[in-house]
Amino acid sequence: MPRLDVVVPVFNEAACLTELVRRMRDVRQGFTADDVDMHLILVDDGSRDGSADVVDELAATLPWVAAVHLTRNFGHQAAMTAGLDASAGDYVSVIDADLQDPPELIQPMLRRLIEKDVDVVYGVRDRRDGESRFKLKTASLFYRMLRRSSGIDIPLDTGDFRVMKARVVVALRALPEHNRFLRALVPWLGYSAIGFSYTRDRRYAGDTKYPLRKMITLAAHAIFAFSTMPIRLVQLAGFALIAVGGFACTAVGALQLFDVVNPGTAAWLLLGMTVQTGLIVLSVGVVGGYVFRIQDEVKGRPLYVRADIGPAGTPAVLPPPSESISLTER
């Protein structure tokens, strides 16, 4: 019987966990009819509201629920990575604990993945209830800008909600970088993927764990990890200042040569400073180009990913789950 692991990062979601597991139980019963063994991996990301105790209680009560505890709050992307590392299923799904992404959609998403014979099925939000117009517009702009500047076919209007084959998870494990943005790392791998449209619900309970500050931080990680756009903009600004200053110097010099106007010392100083500033900015852009290449080497991503054996010689499938190994750790 194939196994599906559902990874759920948890940070201060005590008010949502009981309802989450209740709905997951119904989803699991549907999977049993499809001869799929579904397991739930709850990753407590250093919660401070009692979520850790709820996770332990659920894991102790339900044999299909496993708990992973992080020593402190490492962040949403790190918690998802911990869950993926702990998974041992033939298929793996990632979903948040706030129930904005309906768990009931995991079953049709897995069916589509199998029927279409693709490696990833990702959720596409065609409507997002309960979110401000500002958040919707800025998120839409960010994904389109990142997709255009990175050269990666990053799906638009998506989150982390998805279902993947095991070999995609193995490939993700070969990416050791710390500042992770899984929504771009998965398409970077190049495995076949299709979208699954759905309506995102309001948060079941509690407050959002992604306020504006964290959204900006995540966006910065994504841009610096996948795009050279900031460096290119600095280089372009340097070229523009040099071009404007050079053209102005030529024009003013010609006017003075033919006694049309005498600009004076102040004008020449201003033009000289413009050219000098352009040279400095361009130099910073050039240095940034080298720093980017250093960063690219330090990230340690594999040079390529083979469809038959995975990246860097890793196996294309996960090892079978061991019944003697518990995922519950403190």
Side-chain angles (χ1 to χ4, degrees):
M1 179 183 294
R3 169 170 167 164
L4 167 69
D5 285 342
V6 181
V7 174
V8 184
V10 177
F11 177 62
N12 293 343
E13 298 287 5
C16 297
L17 286 174
T18 302
E19 177 65 13
L20 170 72
V21 172
R22 184 193 69 78
R23 291 172 64 175
M24 284 292 184
R25 182 187 289 111
D26 295 338
V27 173
R28 188 171 190 271
Q29 290 175 354
F31 273 123
T32 301
D34 289 345
D35 291 328
V36 175
D37 186 21
M38 192 195 93
H39 289 252
L40 192 64
I41 302 176
L42 301 176
V43 183
D44 172 46
D45 186 22
S47 299
R48 298 183 293 270
D49 69 337
S51 293
D53 295 331
V54 177
V55 167
D56 280 339
E57 182 181 350
L58 291 169
T61 306
L62 303 171
W64 51 276
V65 177
V68 175
H69 293 274
L70 305 187
T71 57
R72 63 172 177 84
N73 179 234
F74 285 89
H76 186 252
Q77 300 294 304
M80 280 193 297
T81 301
L84 293 175
D85 289 342
S87 66
D90 303 284
Y91 307 101
V92 181
S93 177
V94 178
I95 189 171
D96 288 337
D98 56 16
L99 293 173
Q100 287 188 279
D101 301 321
E104 294 77 12
L105 297 181
I106 297 176
Q107 188 172 20
M109 290 172 72
L110 179 59
R111 286 176 180 169
R112 179 170 297 184
L113 181 139
I114 296 172
E115 291 171 358
K116 299 295 184 180
D117 192 23
V118 294
D119 297 298
V120 181
V121 172
Y122 53 86
V124 180
R125 305 159 178 172
D126 55 10
R127 199 174 81 237
R128 302 167 66 171
D129 294 338
E131 296 186 357
S132 66
R133 180 173 297 182
F134 172 78
K135 184 174 182 179
L136 295 175
K137 291 295 183 182
T138 52
S140 176
L141 178 63
F142 164 70
Y143 282 112
R144 281 156 178 79
M145 180 183 67
L146 182 61
R147 183 176 187 176
R148 186 177 183 87
S149 61
S150 66
I152 303 172
D153 189 18
I154 300 174
L156 302 176
D157 304 317
T158 63
D160 296 303
F161 183 35
R162 63 194 64 219
V163 178
M164 303 173 284
K165 288 183 178 178
R167 66 175 184 170
V168 180
V169 177
V170 172
L172 284 172
R173 290 175 181 170
L175 306 178
E177 58 200 80
H178 285 74
N179 295 317
R180 304 174 72 83
F181 187 61
L182 291 173
R183 301 173 200 182
L185 284 175
V186 173
W188 180 89
L189 291 169
Y191 288 108
S192 58
I194 58 174
F196 186 96
S197 297
Y198 72 103
T199 298
R200 198 169 197 235
D201 297 332
R202 294 176 180 269
R203 163 178 275 276
Y204 176 77
D207 299 322
T208 178
K209 303 306 182 291
Y210 262 104
L212 182 60
R213 176 181 58 83
K214 286 191 175 181
M215 289 175 58
I216 293 174
T217 301
L218 185 64
H221 285 330
I223 291 173
F224 286 116
F226 292 95
S227 175
T228 59
M229 181 184 63
I231 297 173
R232 301 303 179 203
L233 289 176
V234 171
Q235 292 173 343
L236 182 61
F239 276 121
L241 286 171
I242 292 173
V244 170
F247 176 78
C249 286
T250 302
V252 171
L255 292 174
Q256 185 174 5
L257 180 63
F258 292 103
D259 293 327
V260 177
V261 66
N262 185 5
T265 304
W268 282 111
L269 286 174
L270 179 60
L271 293 174
M273 290 175 62
T274 301
V275 175
Q276 183 183 43
T277 302
L279 289 171
I280 294 173
V281 172
L282 180 60
S283 299
V284 171
V286 171
V287 172
Y290 286 102
V291 171
F292 170 77
R293 282 155 181 80
I294 295 172
Q295 179 204 35
D296 200 42
E297 294 293 335
V298 171
K299 282 186 294 192
R301 292 179 191 166
L303 188 61
Y304 57 85
V305 179
R306 286 180 54 177
D308 49 354
I309 63 172
T314 57
V317 296
L318 290 170
S322 172
E323 298 296 334
S324 63
I325 298 177
S326 173
L327 298 177
T328 305
E329 301 175 358
R330 287 298 293 193

